[in-house]
Amino acid sequence: MGHLLRIPGPTPIPPQVTQAMAQPMIGHRSQACKDLIKKITPKLNRVFGSASDVLVLTGSGTSALEAAVVNMTDPGDEVLVVVTGAFGGRFASIAEAYGLQVHCHDIEWGKAADPSHVQDHLKQHPGIKTVFLTHCETSTGVLNPVSEIAKTIRKVSDALVVVDGVSSVGGAEISLDKDGIDLLVSGSQKALMLPPGLAFVAVSERARKVIEHVQRPRFYLDLRKYCGNWNDGQTPFTPALSLLMGLDEVLDMQLEEGIDAIFQRHLIMRDMTRAAMKALEIPLLTNEVDASTTVTSVKPTAFDAEAFRKTVHESFGLLLAGGQQHLKGEIFRIGHMGYCTPEDILETIKRMEAGLKKMGVPFESGAGLEAAERKWKEAMHA
Amino acid sequence: MGHLLRIPGPTPIPPQVTQAMAQPMIGHRSQACKDLIKKITPKLNRVFGSASDVLVLTGSGTSALEAAVVNMTDPGDEVLVVVTGAFGGRFASIAEAYGLQVHCHDIEWGKAADPSHVQDHLKQHPGIKTVFLTHCETSTGVLNPVSEIAKTIRKVSDALVVVDGVSSVGGAEISLDKDGIDLLVSGSQKALMLPPGLAFVAVSERARKVIEHVQRPRFYLDLRKYCGNWNDGQTPFTPALSLLMGLDEVLDMQLEEGIDAIFQRHLIMRDMTRAAMKALEIPLLTNEVDASTTVTSVKPTAFDAEAFRKTVHESFGLLLAGGQQHLKGEIFRIGHMGYCTPEDILETIKRMEAGLKKMGVPFESGAGLEAAERKWKEAMHA
């Protein structure tokens, strides 16, 4: 039985991407590198739904969150961070580390933010210059309605909208331009099917102007250095070239499948996963409306989440993620993004049922698999 | 005729490293990742000559230079930067961006720093708290005597010694402990035979204490977050896992060859390259004493450096680097570090001679190759 990595990132790498990353090394100031970046650029713009620059940084996803904070704000700026889980919390921690006046809008973990409540915050605090949002909150499997939130913000405020799309871009519907986002950041190791090591920052025209005027000291993550060079096929510092070679292949795969088809596939995988959990009578953390298309959080009551994770991993090679912070031990998380198909979801459910059986948890054998298959068939005939 | 990448980084990747990087993806909080980090740790300590932590960051080499600045200094601190080329200049730029009181000790490009002159600076400015040095200055091919400089500094000052070993660690003799360095940084894409994307920071006990007390805001590059977790096989943010898999293989290769044997091989490659240039009557930028074992800068007078680079690349698949800043067009640079052998140097010289011939430059055909071969034989029998 093969190893099955079903955590919400890092995610499995498609074989053709692995192959692309094995190409011989090139110079980062060579024509070959410029050509590679120029091939990547328009494709990356389509995936981020952005007509303006989508910059590529070498770093973990957190480097892109920090780039957003240090390039969009000066110390003392009043900002709102909408916190729906651990990664919203990380935005708040970075903002606090950099001396911002931080308003946190804390939502119960497992629930999405309500656009009207975000709007209320902005009405009460008209000094807020920037709002930090998380699209998919990886720690809970919640997909926040960032498009609606951005629209609602615009009605009462000129505040800039910064979105963490680390575990959503390429797996959930999001577009810098259409959704009225000013800065959209992401990472390589989630729905973008690459190893970790690249971070992305899509910059709107409005954000570009702010970045130019921010005085805060910064160097490696200074987006001004990236904006000026990207369209000439240059990066300010030596980029992670093997990952760029892989990115070129990933983007080809994504555009061949089609952006809408990718969103649809992720929607089906979410629905299959949720249907299976319901059929197995294992409670879900999030409701239908708030559930992400890229990761599902499950909150078992009849068995221990950590013991279950250990069983499916050791006996059936299935790696699921645990909960973070106060949800540690309370939930487990199933990643279904990137290089993942409905067939992979069936295999996941199969191994989960095997795990339940091994643990002696009473359940209707095959019910999860059947429910997932039914959901898939329904979606195919819809 | 195959492609021959002979620039001072990125450098060619050994096939067994490429293969290691193609292993299936793993979770960054999994036992597999902890095991990988724990395998890497002692080997990395040997390569950096450090009994204390050698931290791995996800980023370009510049991220490690910045980590050194933001973790070792508070705004307003008086520091000395010894600038022997573009990368010493980068240290100075970062220090200035972060509000330090920067003394630059500028040396003519192509020459190494003199320990007694560095000492004079410290005597004149006893308030200097940190000295930033470059070991191999990639832009000129100079190897600064950091061990002597560090010893000389210690005689008159308690200033901390920070060394940029990006293009030296793994290719030139250097050791955090033996050389009395407080912080030694490096990157993956030079003598460490990996694609770009990993940055390294070896931290002495003395530096560790400074890092704990520095108040400056920092987050992604906050070394306190890394120090606390590394020995438990954890990184604070998702690391570039495929590169870590490759690093494990690189370190095995290096320890199998032996650290001293690696230095010896690089010494031979330097001497072969220099002997060939002399036989071909093409002037070298640096003198014997200052010359780096990892990169050689050549300053032709009888032909145009850029035209030569273009010819050897287009006609013979040999990629050499050009000059940077005011040396652009004046010099070309031959990288001979990492996955590179004396045989590769012979092949490089062969193609360079072919380039000279194609350009109609008068020279004694075969003289470069012969001189390099002779040097190699001498070294083998020494």
Side-chain angles (χ1 to χ4, degrees):
Chain A
M1 197 178 306
H3 185 73
L4 194 55
L5 185 69
R6 283 276 72 86
I7 61 174
T11 60
I13 314 299
Q16 56 270 57
V17 175
T18 299
Q19 207 170 354
M21 293 190 297
Q23 290 172 83
M25 193 39 59
I26 57 172
H28 62 299
R29 298 290 177 230
S30 68
Q31 192 57 45
C33 184
K34 284 179 193 160
D35 292 346
L36 176 63
I37 290 176
K38 286 184 177 183
K39 261 165 69 190
I40 286 170
T41 304
K43 295 185 280 194
L44 207 49
N45 281 50
R46 285 180 62 190
V47 169
F48 279 76
S50 165
S52 44
D53 282 352
V54 184
L55 307 170
V56 180
L57 280 58
T58 302
S60 308
T62 299
S63 72
L65 300 188
E66 176 163 333
V69 171
V70 300
N71 284 279
M72 297 293 276
T73 68
D74 270 312
D77 277 1
E78 203 176 339
V79 303
L80 175 65
V81 184
V82 178
V83 180
T84 56
F87 290 93
R90 184 163 295 176
F91 248 150
S93 299
I94 299 171
E96 277 155 15
Y98 282 102
L100 303 181
Q101 191 185 330
V102 181
H103 300 270
C104 276
H105 176 38
D106 282 300
I107 316 280
E108 187 191 336
W109 288 33
K111 292 194 162 53
D114 181 325
S116 70
H117 293 172
V118 178
Q119 194 185 50
D120 290 345
H121 263 275
L122 287 157
K123 282 183 191 158
Q124 281 162 33
H125 304 282
I128 289 170
K129 292 169 85 171
T130 314
V131 181
F132 294 92
L133 302 171
T134 314
H135 189 207
C136 174
E137 174 53 65
T138 319
S139 65
T140 63
V142 156
L143 200 68
N144 286 295
V146 293
S147 181
E148 289 71 15
I149 297 174
K151 281 190 192 80
T152 314
I153 290 171
R154 289 274 193 277
K155 286 181 189 157
V156 297
S157 165
D158 279 334
L160 293 145
V161 177
V162 175
V163 175
D164 168 356
V166 170
S167 63
S168 73
V169 172
E173 203 164 355
I174 189 158
S175 156
L176 184 92
D177 293 340
K178 275 193 211 155
D179 295 332
I181 297 166
D182 291 297
L183 210 74
L184 173 60
V185 306
S186 196
S188 53
Q189 78 279 17
K190 307 275 184 175
L192 295 173
M193 306 189 283
L194 284 167
L198 294 182
F200 303 93
V201 187
V203 184
S204 72
E205 285 307 317
R206 201 162 80 119
R208 175 76 178 261
K209 284 178 195 136
V210 174
I211 290 167
E212 294 296 336
H213 289 96
V214 160
Q215 295 297 310
R216 182 195 293 284
R218 57 209 198 270
F219 196 91
Y220 183 65
L221 298 177
D222 186 348
L223 295 180
R224 292 171 299 187
K225 295 188 198 295
Y226 294 81
C227 288
N229 295 305
W230 184 246
N231 289 313
D232 299 326
Q234 297 257 7
T235 53
F237 313 114
T238 316
L241 288 159
S242 59
L243 299 181
L244 282 185
M245 293 169 185
L247 176 61
D248 186 43
E249 179 64 34
V250 160
L251 295 169
D252 282 342
M253 286 175 69
Q254 291 194 322
L255 296 180
E256 195 185 323
E257 181 178 359
I259 304 288
D260 289 335
I262 292 172
F263 294 154
Q264 196 55 35
R265 172 167 55 84
H266 282 79
L267 211 59
I268 293 170
M269 295 192 297
R270 175 196 70 183
D271 291 345
M272 289 171 68
T273 306
R274 291 178 64 88
M277 293 307 107
K278 283 178 195 163
L280 294 170
E281 296 180 349
I282 315 175
L284 294 157
L285 180 68
T286 61
N287 67 27
E288 298 298 302
V289 179
D290 296 347
S292 175
T293 53
T294 58
V295 49
T296 295
S297 287
V298 184
K299 196 170 191 280
T301 45
F303 58 90
D304 180 70
E306 287 303 292
F308 179 67
R309 289 212 304 130
K310 194 170 181 320
T311 302
V312 293
H313 184 227
E314 290 178 359
S315 302
F316 307 105
L318 170 64
L319 195 66
L320 302 174
Q324 291 178 293
Q325 297 180 23
H326 69 269
L327 289 180
K328 202 173 175 126
E330 298 292 312
I331 64 167
F332 63 86
R333 294 172 296 149
I334 308 165
H336 37 75
M337 67 181 111
Y339 190 57
C340 183
T341 62
E343 286 90 339
D344 292 319
I345 300 301
L346 296 182
E347 181 62 29
T348 303
I349 306 297
K350 225 184 271 180
R351 297 194 193 183
M352 286 175 68
E353 289 201 15
L356 292 175
K357 197 167 177 182
K358 184 157 182 116
M359 282 174 72
V361 177
F363 74 103
E364 194 194 327
S365 181
L369 194 63
E370 200 193 313
E373 273 178 329
R374 199 166 46 237
K375 240 337 154 195
W376 186 16
K377 274 188 199 147
E378 279 170 27
M380 299 293 280
H381 295 108
Chain B
M1 198 178 304
H3 185 71
L4 194 55
L5 185 68
R6 283 275 74 86
I7 61 174
T11 60
I13 314 301
Q16 55 271 56
V17 175
T18 299
Q19 207 171 353
M21 293 190 297
Q23 289 172 83
M25 192 40 58
I26 57 173
H28 61 299
R29 298 288 176 234
S30 68
Q31 193 56 46
C33 183
K34 283 178 195 162
D35 293 344
L36 177 63
I37 290 176
K38 287 185 175 182
K39 260 166 68 189
I40 287 171
T41 305
K43 296 185 279 192
L44 207 48
N45 281 50
R46 285 181 61 191
V47 169
F48 279 77
S50 165
S52 44
D53 281 353
V54 184
L55 307 169
V56 180
L57 281 57
T58 302
S60 309
T62 299
S63 72
L65 300 187
E66 177 162 332
V69 172
V70 300
N71 285 280
M72 297 292 276
T73 69
D74 269 312
D77 277 1
E78 204 175 339
V79 303
L80 175 65
V81 185
V82 178
V83 180
T84 55
F87 289 92
R90 183 163 296 174
F91 248 151
S93 300
I94 298 171
E96 277 155 13
Y98 282 102
L100 303 182
Q101 191 185 332
V102 181
H103 299 270
C104 275
H105 175 39
D106 282 298
I107 317 281
E108 186 190 336
W109 287 35
K111 291 193 161 55
D114 181 326
S116 70
H117 293 172
V118 177
Q119 194 186 52
D120 290 346
H121 262 276
L122 286 158
K123 283 184 191 157
Q124 281 162 34
H125 304 282
I128 289 171
K129 293 169 84 170
T130 314
V131 181
F132 292 93
L133 302 171
T134 313
H135 189 206
C136 174
E137 173 53 65
T138 320
S139 65
T140 63
V142 155
L143 200 68
N144 286 295
V146 292
S147 180
E148 288 73 12
I149 296 175
K151 280 190 193 81
T152 315
I153 290 171
R154 288 274 192 277
K155 287 181 189 156
V156 298
S157 165
D158 280 334
L160 293 144
V161 177
V162 175
V163 175
D164 167 358
V166 171
S167 61
S168 73
V169 173
E173 204 164 353
I174 190 159
S175 156
L176 184 91
D177 294 338
K178 276 193 211 153
D179 295 332
I181 297 166
D182 292 297
L183 210 74
L184 173 60
V185 306
S186 196
S188 53
Q189 79 279 15
K190 307 274 185 176
L192 294 173
M193 306 189 285
L194 283 167
L198 294 183
F200 304 92
V201 187
V203 183
S204 73
E205 284 307 316
R206 202 162 78 121
R208 175 75 179 263
K209 284 179 195 135
V210 174
I211 290 166
E212 293 296 336
H213 289 97
V214 160
Q215 295 297 311
R216 183 195 291 286
R218 57 209 199 270
F219 196 90
Y220 183 65
L221 297 178
D222 186 347
L223 295 180
R224 292 171 298 186
K225 295 187 198 298
Y226 294 81
C227 288
N229 294 305
W230 184 247
N231 289 314
D232 300 325
Q234 296 258 9
T235 54
F237 314 114
T238 317
L241 288 159
S242 60
L243 300 182
L244 283 186
M245 293 169 186
L247 176 62
D248 186 42
E249 179 64 34
V250 160
L251 295 169
D252 282 342
M253 287 175 69
Q254 291 194 322
L255 296 181
E256 196 186 324
E257 183 177 358
I259 305 288
D260 290 334
I262 292 173
F263 295 154
Q264 196 55 33
R265 171 167 55 84
H266 282 80
L267 211 59
I268 293 171
M269 296 193 294
R270 175 196 70 183
D271 291 345
M272 289 171 68
T273 306
R274 291 178 64 89
M277 293 306 107
K278 282 177 194 164
L280 295 169
E281 297 180 349
I282 315 175
L284 294 157
L285 180 68
T286 61
N287 67 27
E288 299 298 303
V289 179
D290 297 347
S292 175
T293 53
T294 57
V295 50
T296 296
S297 287
V298 185
K299 196 170 191 276
T301 45
F303 58 91
D304 181 69
E306 286 303 292
F308 179 67
R309 287 211 307 129
K310 195 170 181 318
T311 302
V312 293
H313 185 227
E314 289 178 0
S315 301
F316 307 105
L318 170 64
L319 195 66
L320 301 173
Q324 290 179 293
Q325 298 181 24
H326 68 270
L327 288 180
K328 203 175 173 124
E330 299 292 312
I331 63 167
F332 62 85
R333 293 174 296 150
I334 307 165
H336 37 74
M337 68 181 110
Y339 191 57
C340 183
T341 62
E343 286 90 339
D344 292 319
I345 300 301
L346 296 182
E347 181 62 28
T348 303
I349 306 298
K350 226 184 266 178
R351 296 194 194 184
M352 286 176 67
E353 289 201 15
L356 293 175
K357 197 167 178 181
K358 183 156 184 119
M359 282 175 75
V361 177
F363 73 102
E364 194 192 328
S365 182
L369 194 62
E370 201 192 311
E373 273 177 331
R374 200 165 45 237
K375 243 331 158 198
W376 186 16
K377 272 187 201 151
E378 280 170 26
M380 299 292 280
H381 295 107

